[in-house]
Amino acid sequence: SALKRVENVIVGAPPQDLKDYSKELMLKIKQETSDTEHRVKQAQEKQRWQAEQKKKELEREKKKALKKQQKQLEMMKKKAEYAQKKKEAEAKGEAPPEEPQEPEEEEEPEEEMEPEPIEEDPPKVELSAAEKKMPFRQLAVGDLTPFLLNTLFQKFSLPEKDEGFEELRWVWQPEAKAKAHVKEWMQARKLTSRVEDIQPGDWFAGKQKEWQKALQSCYAKQNAFKASEGKKALEAAQKEAKKKLTQAAREKAEKEGKELPPQEEEEEEAKVEETPKVDIEQLDVFGLEDVMDIGGGEPLFSAFAPEDWSMIALRYEIHLLAHAFKRDTNDADRVAIPLEHLSFYYQKYYKKALKKEAYGCDSLEDLVELIRDTALLTGKNKVLEPQLPEDLESSNLFIMLTEESRRDRNRRIDMGDESAKLKVSQATKPSATAGSTPQAAATAQQWQAQARPQQAWQNKSTWQDSWQGKGGWQGGWNW
């Protein structure tokens, strides 16, 4: 058969005649667009001029009618006066006065009129320097939607002879250059496009579950520690208040000559060596072995405020997202998240929006800067680069980083640096019962109910019952 299957491969840099043709089309379309805009602008200007002229004409007619009405009123007044004077003159036998004459109409001076806009020819346009460098003209609507292109471009390929072609004709560039062009285009596309169909993998789900469990454990530890400290403070305040009340009662009885109430015997308490209070601000956070107990049962994060919990969560989420993206794409050309797509992937993985405004930031770049100890933006394309390895033994390092950041922030604020203050608007303090044991939750609730311990000793009935219950003065205190 004389027929054969030939494939014309049109890939790469186009020939000069096609470039020139593309520039002609671009210039033609640009000129047509400019002409249309020019005509619309002229039509709008003419409409404005006509509306202005009509408005001025109406104003002139209104003034003319008002002036005519005023003259008529004046003439009617003069005629009434003439009739009265004529009647009086006839009664006296005198000659009648001269009858008033209608005034001649005065010609209104012509106002200077705005000239009618002159229709001008549309200006000639030229291609800009950037447009001259474009090998093809850009259409308003592409052949593929951005979603389809981002999803399918990795499957693009060039034809091969073993696909049933007897001849491959490389029209624009030789085969080697054409294939290199496609490869470079795909690599560049990977750096700027989104992986639309990416899904979080099992590794991400496992790490996220472990993090949530660790975070709840930290919440519970902080709540339990604060409840314990509150209970100790309350007991100390009650003991001191009771001692003062007993002493006051004895002094009053002695002054009045009455029998002194018996001195309450202090209960022998087991002497327990208390661990000295740790100065958390002076600790080397990165040298600690146990962040859950730095001494006396106090955790490293005991001073964390709601905004600190928000920052530690942000640190871990961005860290985990950066490593999970690399795993789930499984593509050597896609190892980092471009800043412009960070919000998209955050929504994909965490099913919630990444709101920079919630952290007081104007841009995502400012948001990443807040956690520069965990992730940085690198390269001209500003891609997210994690600073911590993915195989961390525990999440303690994020607690250390957040505590160190908290100290540094407080030092700067104390020195008068107002810019160091966090502006976290969605900070949520862990609840007293979140992730804690029933005993810790009950203790925390008790401490919250008695937020002001000094008020406890002011309750008269409490101390009467306590004293009488131990065989104290039966008459009670004389308040």
Side-chain angles (χ1 to χ4, degrees), residues 251-270:
E251 291 176 358
K252 183 177 181 181
E254 184 178 359
K255 185 177 179 181
E256 296 176 352
K258 297 180 180 179
E259 182 182 356
L260 297 179
Q263 184 80 28
E264 183 181 8
E265 296 182 3
E266 295 184 3
E267 298 179 0
E268 293 186 3
E269 298 180 357

Side-chain angles (χ1 to χ4, degrees), residues 210-220 309 312-313 395 430 434:
E210 291 175 8
W211 167 246
Q212 291 298 330
K213 185 177 179 181
L215 199 59
Q216 290 300 321
S217 177
C218 291
Y219 288 170
W309 291 113
I312 193 175
S395 57

Side-chain angles (χ1 to χ4, degrees), residues 362-403:
D362 296 327
S363 64
L364 288 177
E365 192 168 353
D366 294 338
L367 178 63
V368 176
E369 180 65 19
L370 287 179
I371 54 170
R372 55 187 175 277
D373 51 19
T374 305
L376 293 174
L377 296 174
T378 60
K380 64 179 182 179
N381 293 322
K382 293 184 179 180
V383 295
L384 191 69
E385 181 179 342
Q387 297 299 291
L388 305 175
E390 69 174 42
D391 54 347
L392 292 173
E393 293 183 1
S394 72
S395 57
N396 290 347
L397 184 55
F398 296 96
I399 297 174
M400 297 175 181
L401 290 172
T402 304
E403 170 60 19

Side-chain angles (χ1 to χ4, degrees), residues 244-254 260-261 473 477:
K244 289 181 179 179
L245 287 173
T246 304
Q247 184 63 30
R250 290 180 62 84
E251 291 176 358
K252 183 177 181 181
E254 184 178 359
L260 297 179
W473 187 33
W477 304 117

